[in-house]
Amino acid sequence: MLESSWPLLSLLIWLPILGAVVVLALGDDREEQGRIVALGTAALTFLFSLGLITGFQSGTAAMQFVELRSWVEALNVNYHLGVDGISMPLVVLTTFSTLLVLIASWRRITVKPALFQACFLMLNGIMVGVFSALDAILFYVFFEVMLVPMFLLIGIWGGANRIYATIKFFLYTFIGSVMMLVALVYLQFQAGGSFHILDFYGLDLPLNAQIWLFIAFLMAFAIKVPMWPVHTWLPDAHVQAPTGGSVILAAIMLKIGGYGFVRFSLPVVPEASMTLDWLMIALSLIAVVYIGLVAMMQQDMKKLIAYSSIAHMGFVTLGFFIIFAIADRTGGSGMLLALEGGMVQMISHGFISAAMFLCVGVLYDRMHTREMAHYGGVAHRMPVFAGFFVLFAMANAGLPGTSGFVGEFMVILAAFQANFWYAFAAATTLILGAAYTLWMVRRVMYGEVTSDDVAKLEDVDRRELLVLAVLAAAVLWLGLYPAPLIEIMEPSLENLLEIVAAGL
Amino acid sequence: MKTIYLLIVLFPLVGALIAGLLGSRIGREGAHWVTSLSVGISFALSLLVLIGLMAGWVQPFNGTVYTWMVSEGIRFEVGFLVDNLSAMMMTVVTFVSLMVHVYTIGYMSHDEENWPAGSLAGVNAYQRFFSYIALFTFAMLMLVMSNNFLQLFFAWEAVGLVSYLLIGFWFNRPTAVFANLKAFLVNRAGDFGLLLGIGAVLFYFGSLDYVEVFAAAEADPDRTMSIFGGAEWKVVTVAGILLFIGAMGKSAQAPLHVWLPDSMEGPTPISALIHAATMVTAGIFLVARMSPLYELSEVALSFILVIGAFTAFFMGLIGLVQNDIKRVVAYSTLSQLGYMVVALGVSAYAAGVFHLMTHAFFKALLFLGAGSVIIAMHHKQDMREMGGLKQYMPVTYWTMLLGTLALIGFPGFSGFFSKDAIIEAVHASDRAGAGFAYLMVLLGVFVTALYSFRLFFMVFHGEGRMDHHTREHLQESPRVVTVPLILLAVPSVLIGLFTIGPMVFGGFFDGAIFVHRANDVLAYLGQDYTGPFGFIAHGFVTPPLYLAAAGVATAWFLYIKRPDLPPVIQSRLRPLHAVLENKYGFDDLYIKGVAGGSRALGGFFSRVTDARLIDGLLVNGTARSIGWAAGVMRRLQTGYLYHYAFVMIIGLVVMLTWFVFGAR
C-alpha cells in the first residue's frame, strides 16, 4: 500500500463539509458571501482532487493515498481511506460535478440558499468518502449519511409532488442499505474481526452464505444503480428534484451502485456472483431494452433522461456480470474489456447525464415546464444552446467520438464473446437510444416556434455557456482519447479479476 | 507521407471548425472561402497521392496515427491505409466535395428566405452549411482512409451524423425533421448489424486491424459458430452478412432503403454530395475493402447479390411514378447503388467500385443540374409544373443531357463502361442468384433509360407548364452553379474511356481488392478485352444497349409525342401504379408496424408494468400494507402500563421457551 505524505483524501472529504458549515453559519442573510465561500470551496476541492491524478501511480493495483487511523477501537472500526484505479476517477468525477452544479445554480435559488449550497458541499464530501472508504463501517456510514442532503434537496427545493418522491427515494434506498449492514457485520466475523474491506476478499465462504450476502449487496446496490424492477424511484426523484440535485443524483449517486458491485459483490462473493450472473445479465438487458422502450413514451424531458439513465446503467451492470459467461467461452480474454467497458460507461454517463439535466435546467429556468409538448422550435431562438443540446443528445445516443460510445462499444464487443444474443440485445441501444433521444431533440429543438413563450427565449448566458462548454470538452475528450482513463483503471481491474478467479 | 495524409483529413476539419465556430466573425465570404480552400487543398493533395501511387513514387501506406485505447493488450487505433482503392476514393470525394462547395455559394445565396422571421438560427445558417459539408468531407475521408474497424465505425456514424444535420438543415420544416430522424434511425438499424459484425470480427479474429483480420480469416476460413441452437454457420458468413447489413443501411439497399428518398428534404447540394456521390457509396467501399473476407463466403456474396439485384430493378421502377425532380434522381441513385452491390455480389468488386466512381460524377452532375432547375423554378420541384426549360437554361440543359446519357449507358460515356462491365460480369458468374440478378440488371437498363428521359423531357422539352410569374423570371443560373456542372460533365463523359482498362481489367486494385481465382469473373472477361473501343463495339452485340434505346424511345413517345397517354396508362394500371406510389408498402410497414409497435410496447411497459405492477402493486402496495399494519399496531398501543407489562411478560416467556427448547 502506498501511504501518502499528507492526507489528501481526508482533505477532499472534510474541506467541503467544513465549507458547508461555514456557509450555514453565514446563513441566508449573508447569501452573497455564502455563495462565494461555497463556490470557492468546491473549486478548491476540485483542484485538490486533481492531485489524485497527478500523484496517482498507474501500473499498480495497490491502494494509494492511504490513511489509517483507529476510530472505534472496541469494535475494531478504523478511519481507513485509499483509492485505486477503480475509485480514483469516481472521486474526481464527484468533485468535478459538484463544482459544475454550484456554478450552474449560481443565484438560481431564492429559498434557503445557504442550506442549498451546503447540501451540495456535504454531498461532495460524503460521496468522496463513499468512494475512498476502505473500512466497511466507514463505508456504510458515508453510504447512509449521503441520503440526508439529497433527501433535503428534493424535499425542500423539489417540485409539486416532492414529498411522495422523497419518501419513495428514502425508503427504497434505506431498505437496501440496511440489508448491506447485516452483510458487512457477518463478513467482519468471517474475516476475523476486521472491517477492512480488502480483508473480505478471498474469504472461503460456503456458496449458500455467499448467495445470501450477494442478495444483501444486491438490494443495496441494485436500488442505487437502479436496476429493473427497483428503478421506479428514480424517475420520480428526478422529476421532483431541482436541477442540481438531478445532476448529482445521475452523475454520482447512481455510480455508487455500480461501484458497490465491483468493490463488494464481485470480489467478496465471486462464487455467488457466478451462480447468479444469469439474473444480473437478464436484469441488465431488461434495462437496456425494456427501459429503452419506456423512455420512448415519456412526455416529460427529465423523466425521459431518467429512464435513459437506467438504460445506460444497464451497460455498467452488464459489463460487470458478463465476465463469467465470457470466461466460459474464451477462457479469459474479453473479461477485462467487459469490466473496463462498465467502468468507462460510469464515468461517461456522469458527464452526459449531468449535461442533459443541466440542459433541461436551462430550459426549465426560462419556461418553467419540462413537458416537451410546450416546446418546439427552440433552436430558432437559442442556436448556441441548440448546438450543445444536439451534441449531448448525440453523446447520449452513443455516437462515436463522444464518451457515450466508448463504454457501450466495449461492453457490446465483450458481450459478443459471451453470447451472440447478449450482444444482440445490448446493441438495440443503438436504435432505441437514438430513437428516444433524437425524438426529444426533434420535439424540443426543431420545428416552427410554437408558442409566445418560446418566441421570447434568450440564448444561454456566459455562466451557462461555461458549464456546457466544460462538459462538452469532457464528453469529447473521453470519446476521442479514452486511453489515459483505461490505463488508470486496468491494473486494478486486472487485480479484481485475479481475486475473482482465486475465489472460484 | 503520414504528414500529407494527416493534412488531407485535417484541412477540411479545420475549415469546418472555423466556419462553424467563428461563423459570425468571418461572415459568409470568409466561411465559403475557408472551407472551399481547405477542401481544395485536400483535393490537390489527394490527386497528388493518387498520381504518385500510379506512377510508383508513392508506396501504399498502412500506419497508426494514434492509439485510441489499449484494453487487454488489444490496440484500438486510429490509422490510415492508403492504397489505390482509398486514393481513388479520396480523390473522388474531395473533387465532388469541392464542386459542391463552389456550387453551394450560388445555391444558398438567398438562404435567408428559407428561415422564418426572427429565427436566430437563420442568421449564420449559410456559414453553418459550409461548416457541415466540410465536416462531412473530413468524416468521409476518415472512412475511406481507415485501416481498421474501429475508425471505420467512427467515420461511418460521423457521416451519418452530418447527413442527419443536413437533411434537417431547414429544421423549421416538419417534413425535414421527420426525414432526418428517419434517416438516422434506419441507418442505426444498419449500424446495429455493422457493430455486431465488428464484434464477430474481434472475437474470432482477435484484432480490429484490417490486415491482421484478413490474415486471420484466411488462415482459418472454415471456422464455424452457432447462433440458433445447434446449426453451425461459417464465421466469415455471419460476420460478412452482419457487416453488409451496415452497408445496406448506408448504401440504402432494400429493405433499409426507405430513408434515402426522404433525405431529399435536405438542400440539393448535399443530395449531390452525400446522398448520391459519396456517403451512400460507403457500403460499396466497405465490401470492396473487405473483399479478402467476403471471398471466403459464397453464402454472404449470394446474399449481397440478391439484395442488390432486387434494389437495382424494383427501386428503379418507383422512379417511374415520381413527380418531384429530386425524388426521381433519388430513386435512380437507389437503383444504381443496387448495380454496384450486384457487382460486389459476383466478386466483380473492381467493377462495382468503378461504377461507384463514374456514378459519383454523373449523379452529382444530375443532382446539381436538378438544383439549377430548382433555383430557376423558385424552389418548386414538381416536374408537372416544368417543361420547355431548354431555351432558358442552355448550360444546365446540355450538361444534364450529358449526365443523363452517362446514366443510361450511352456508348462511350462513363456510365456505359461501368454498367456494361457489371452486366457482363453478372452474366459470366455462376454464383447462386446470378441468373435472377442478370434478369434484374437487364430490365433495370430499360427502366433507367425510361425514367431518366421521362425526367429530361418533362423538364426541358414540351410546353412550359409553370405559372406566369415563374416563367417571367426563368433564367440560367449564375456561374458558380454552371461551372461545377461543366467541370462534372467532363469526367461524366470521359472518365470511363480512360480508366476502364486499368481499373476493371488491369491491375489497378491489386493489393487492395482480393478475388479468388475461381470467382474472378473480371479476369475471365478480361481475356477478351482489347481496349475501350473494342468494349464499345462489343456493346453493340449485347442486349443492354438496345434496352436503353427502347427506354429512351418509350420516354420520347410518352412524354413528347403523345403526352396524353401517360394519364390513360396510369388509370388503366391503377393497382400497379398504387403499389409503386406506396413504394411497395415499406414505409407503412416501418412506421405503423415497427415504430408503432415499439411505441405500443413502450406504452404498455410504462403504463402497465411500471406504473401498475411495480409501483402500484409492489411499491405503493407495500406502503399500503405497512400503513394497514401500523394501524393495527397502533390499536395495541393503548397507553396503559399494565397492557405493556403484560405484553412484555408474554414476550419474555416466549423467548425463554424458545431458548430452552427451541435452540438446541
Side-chain angles (χ1 to χ4, degrees), chain B residues 643-664:
Chain B
H643 279 177
Y644 294 147
F646 177 70
V647 171
M648 274 168 72
I649 290 165
I650 296 285
L652 196 63
V653 170
V654 170
M655 275 171 73
L656 278 175
T657 318
W658 187 76
F659 266 114
V660 174
F661 300 103
R664 263 175 295 181

Side-chain angles (χ1 to χ4, degrees), chain A residues 463-503:
Chain A
R463 186 178 45 79
E464 290 164 332
L465 185 70
L466 171 74
V467 173
L468 294 177
V470 167
L471 278 167
V475 163
L476 289 174
W477 164 70
L478 187 53
L480 293 173
Y481 194 45
L485 179 63
I486 302 212
E487 212 173 297
I488 288 172
M489 292 172 169
E490 194 159 87
S492 298
L493 292 170
E494 254 173 348
N495 180 50
L496 172 66
L497 282 179
E498 279 162 26
I499 294 168
V500 171

Side-chain angles (χ1 to χ4, degrees), chain A residues 192-207:
Chain A
S194 165
F195 273 116
H196 184 22
I197 294 173
L198 301 189
D199 287 345
F200 295 170
Y201 297 178
L203 293 179
D204 192 19
L205 302 171
L207 181 59

Side-chain angles (χ1 to χ4, degrees), chain A residues 171-477:
Chain A
L171 282 183
Y172 246 124
T173 44
F174 185 72
I175 288 168
S177 48
V178 168
M179 305 293 282
M180 183 177 71
L181 180 62
V182 179
L184 294 176
V185 171
Y186 174 85
L187 282 166
Q188 184 246 10
F189 277 112
Q190 299 298 321
S194 165
F195 273 116
H196 184 22
I197 294 173
L198 301 189
D199 287 345
F200 295 170
Y201 297 178
L203 293 179
D204 192 19
L205 302 171
L207 181 59
N208 66 358
Q210 285 206 18
I211 290 197
W212 283 112
L213 288 168
F214 184 87
I215 290 171
F217 284 129
L218 181 63
M219 295 280 280
F221 302 136
I223 288 172
K224 274 272 175 339
V225 168
M227 299 175 81
W228 189 89
V230 287
H231 65 281
T232 58
W233 64 271
L234 186 73
D236 283 324
H238 270 309
V239 166
Q240 300 303 329
T243 301
S246 282
V247 171
I248 295 299
L249 190 58
I252 317 294
M253 286 183 79
L254 305 191
K255 309 303 172 298
I256 289 171
Y259 172 74
F261 284 126
V262 279
R263 185 61 83 216
F264 291 95
S265 303
L266 284 173
V268 175
V269 287
E271 221 181 325
S273 301
M274 186 169 76
T275 313
L276 292 175
D277 72 335
W278 58 271
L279 175 71
M280 302 304 286
I281 292 170
L283 294 182
S284 305
L285 292 177
I286 288 175
V288 175
V289 180
Y290 169 110
I291 297 292
L293 287 168
V294 172
M296 281 202 313
M297 297 307 295
Q298 301 308 313
Q299 307 297 320
D300 178 306
M301 285 190 268
K302 265 190 155 181
K303 265 201 167 162
L304 191 149
I305 302 165
Y307 277 108
S308 145
S309 288
I310 305 171
H312 284 104
M313 291 301 286
F315 278 92
V316 175
T317 47
L318 181 65
F320 291 164
F321 287 95
I322 207 165
I323 54 172
F324 304 102
I326 295 173
D328 255 5
R329 192 104 169 278
T330 67
S333 78
M335 293 166 83
L336 201 51
L337 187 68
L339 283 182
E340 285 169 1
M343 286 301 300
V344 172
Q345 176 79 347
M346 291 219 283
I347 302 294
S348 156
H349 183 257
F351 295 145
I352 297 171
S353 60
M356 292 300 286
F357 280 118
L358 284 168
C359 279
V360 175
V362 165
L363 288 174
Y364 187 82
D365 285 343
R366 289 163 172 72
M367 298 268 293
H368 302 287
T369 173
R370 293 175 311 260
E371 289 288 318
M372 285 188 262
H374 296 159
Y375 290 88
V378 170
H380 288 297
R381 296 298 309 161
M382 308 176 72
V384 176
F385 174 68
F388 283 107
F389 194 86
V390 171
L391 171 70
F392 296 130
M394 283 295 170
N396 201 43
L399 191 84
T402 66
S403 64
F405 168 73
V406 187
E408 288 178 17
F409 180 68
M410 295 169 81
V411 172
I412 291 171
L413 289 187
F416 200 102
Q417 322 216 350
N419 184 321
F420 175 79
W421 293 106
Y422 294 166
F424 186 91
T428 54
T429 189
L430 234 52
I431 302 167
L432 292 174
Y436 57 71
T437 316
L438 298 185
W439 175 244
M440 175 169 69
V441 171
R442 178 184 160 189
R443 295 224 286 174
V444 175
M445 287 291 144
Y446 293 158
E448 297 274 7
V449 172
T450 45
S451 72
D452 293 345
D453 291 339
V454 174
K456 277 183 254 156
L457 282 175
E458 296 278 327
D459 211 335
V460 281
D461 59 29
R462 257 195 234 158
R463 186 178 45 79
E464 290 164 332
L465 185 70
L466 171 74
V467 173
L468 294 177
V470 167
L471 278 167
V475 163
L476 289 174
W477 164 70

Side-chain angles (χ1 to χ4, degrees), chain B residues 280-299:
Chain B
V280 290
T281 60
I284 315 301
F285 169 80
L286 168 83
V287 178
R289 181 51 93 203
M290 307 292 150
S291 57
L293 208 60
Y294 281 101
E295 279 302 293
L296 301 172
S297 172
E298 283 285 320
V299 180

Side-chain angles (χ1 to χ4, degrees), chain B residues 454-469:
Chain B
R454 171 177 175 263
L455 179 151
F456 192 75
F457 291 142
M458 278 180 85
V459 172
F460 291 107
H461 290 270
E463 286 287 306
R465 296 176 294 275
M466 64 291 288
D467 57 49
H468 183 68
H469 174 78

